[in-house]
């Protein structure tokens, strides 16, 4: 399943990059480096008996430091984007309490390791209802619909006790939100984006603010800050986490 979504994301990126540009089109391809700090809880809830494991207190999960990729195509007032982020969190420590994960008891005072791997895919369409390019600054603002796919794999292992358990879930999360961009000059712009969905026991908030600097045509650098709030409770997996942190990278635009 993870390979299939990776293939889909790569295909969308290549498709967007392969479309020829015209005067009314703007194609951008971005690659960056993202650092996210985790907090919250997760559990392997088989039969509803899983212990909610605290990411910071129980196993001290470290930051995820990985790539972020995005390609976007703008046609008039519409912007189509596709993005991919692999998130990898891991931590270990001596358990300070008994933990039941996927129907297996990990006992107190046992050394254990946890890995939380999340592949995050994002396809969005924005309609700029406000798209002024005849002012001293360019202003773009409009609603955005998107589909975020969260492919999560959670594991808990204790070599000391000879125990290893793993659970996984794939959840497509359609979001509704907005995107805005203000170009202060040809070489400097500020963009912001937010999306949200809540249904049943699942919810997702994705907020992002970014500064772009392009001192030469077609090429530039960007830096920003990302904020995720994700809650999934289905298929015997519980995940309630907040992920925040900065990112930076380079882009091509033509």
């Amino acid at each position: 399943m993870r390979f299939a979504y990776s293939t889909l994301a790569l295909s969308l990126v290549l498709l967007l990059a392969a479309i020829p540009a015209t005067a009314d089109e703007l194609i951008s391809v971005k690659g960056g480096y993202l650092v996210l700090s985790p907090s919250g809880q997760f559990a392997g809830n088989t039969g509803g008996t899983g212990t909610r494991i605290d990411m910071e207190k129980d196993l001290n999960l470290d930051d995820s430091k990985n790539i972020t990729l995005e390609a976007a195509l703008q046609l008039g007032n519409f912007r189509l984007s596709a993005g991919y982020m692999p998130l990898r969190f891991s931590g270990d420590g001596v358990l300070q309490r008994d933990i039941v994960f996927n129907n297996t008891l990990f006992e107190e005072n046992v050394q254990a390791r946890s890995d939380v791997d999340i592949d995050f895919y994002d396809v969005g369409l924005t309609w700029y209802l406000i798209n002024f390019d005849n002012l001293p600054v360019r202003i773009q603002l409009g609603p955005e619909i998107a589909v975020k796919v969260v492919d999560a794999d959670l594991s808990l292992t204790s070599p000391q006790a000879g125990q290893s358990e793993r659970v996984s879930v794939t959840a497509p999360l359609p979001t509704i939100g907005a995107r805005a961009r203000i170009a202060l000059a040809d070489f400097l712009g500020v963009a912001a984006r937010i999306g949200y969905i809540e249904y049943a026991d699942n919810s997702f908030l994705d907020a992002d603010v970014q500064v772009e600097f392009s001192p030469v045509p077609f090429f530039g650098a960007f830096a920003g800050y990302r904020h995720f709030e994700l809650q999934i409770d289905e298929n015997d997996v519980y995940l309630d986490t907040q992920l925040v942190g900065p990112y930076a990278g380079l882009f091509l635009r033509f």
Side-chain angles (χ1 to χ4, degrees):
M1 181 64 72
R2 182 169 295 173
F3 174 77
Y5 282 114
S6 298
T7 303
L8 174 61
L10 179 60
S11 299
L12 286 170
V13 169
L14 294 176
L15 175 62
L16 292 176
I19 298 175
T22 70
D24 294 327
E25 294 179 347
L26 176 63
I27 297 175
S28 65
V29 179
K30 295 182 176 181
Y33 189 72
L34 174 71
V35 180
L36 288 180
S37 300
S39 62
Q41 300 176 324
F42 69 93
N45 269 336
T46 304
T49 60
T51 304
R52 294 190 178 183
I53 303 169
D54 191 284
M55 293 182 172
E56 296 174 293
K57 297 178 181 178
D58 288 318
L59 290 167
N60 192 30
L61 291 188
D62 58 12
D63 294 344
S64 172
K65 302 175 182 179
N66 220 314
I67 63 169
T68 175
L69 302 172
E70 182 191 64
L73 167 66
Q74 184 159 322
L75 294 170
N77 294 330
F78 293 90
R79 183 183 191 274
L80 175 65
S81 64
Y84 170 64
M85 289 186 300
L87 309 178
R88 305 289 182 260
F89 305 96
S90 62
D92 59 73
V94 177
L95 298 182
Q96 301 302 307
R97 57 181 178 136
D98 289 347
I99 288 177
V100 176
F101 184 78
N102 200 28
N103 279 348
T104 297
L105 174 62
F106 292 77
E107 296 184 342
E108 182 181 358
N109 296 324
V110 168
Q111 185 80 22
R113 174 185 174 86
S114 179
D115 292 285
V116 177
D117 297 338
I118 302 174
D119 283 332
F120 179 77
Y121 308 87
D122 182 354
V123 178
L125 178 64
T126 306
W127 180 15
Y128 285 127
L129 295 177
I130 298 175
N131 193 1
F132 296 139
D133 58 2
N134 56 354
L135 301 175
V137 298
R138 180 168 187 174
I139 300 174
Q140 297 172 297
L141 173 64
E144 181 179 73
I145 58 173
V147 176
K148 329 272 185 160
V149 177
V150 177
D151 189 11
D153 189 273
L154 318 175
S155 68
L156 187 61
T157 303
S158 174
Q160 177 184 348
Q163 298 172 306
S164 181
E165 294 293 334
R166 182 181 300 272
V167 296
S168 60
V169 63
T170 300
L173 300 170
T175 63
I176 299 175
R179 181 187 290 267
R181 185 175 185 272
I182 299 177
L184 304 175
D186 290 340
F187 60 89
L188 182 64
V190 179
R193 180 192 191 197
I194 188 168
Y196 183 74
I197 185 67
E198 182 176 353
Y199 66 95
D201 293 320
N202 300 325
S203 65
F204 184 62
L205 171 68
D206 180 9
D208 182 13
V209 61
Q210 182 180 121
V211 177
E212 299 174 345
F213 179 66
S214 181
V216 296
F218 311 120
F219 180 78
F222 63 91
Y225 194 83
R226 200 81 181 249
H227 180 109
F228 293 102
E229 292 182 14
L230 173 64
Q231 181 172 326
I232 297 175
D233 190 357
E234 58 181 56
N235 296 338
D236 297 325
V237 173
Y238 175 82
L239 178 61
D240 184 2
T241 183
Q242 179 174 294
L243 311 172
V244 296
Y247 62 88
L250 301 173
F251 66 83
L252 292 173
R253 176 179 292 157
F254 47 93

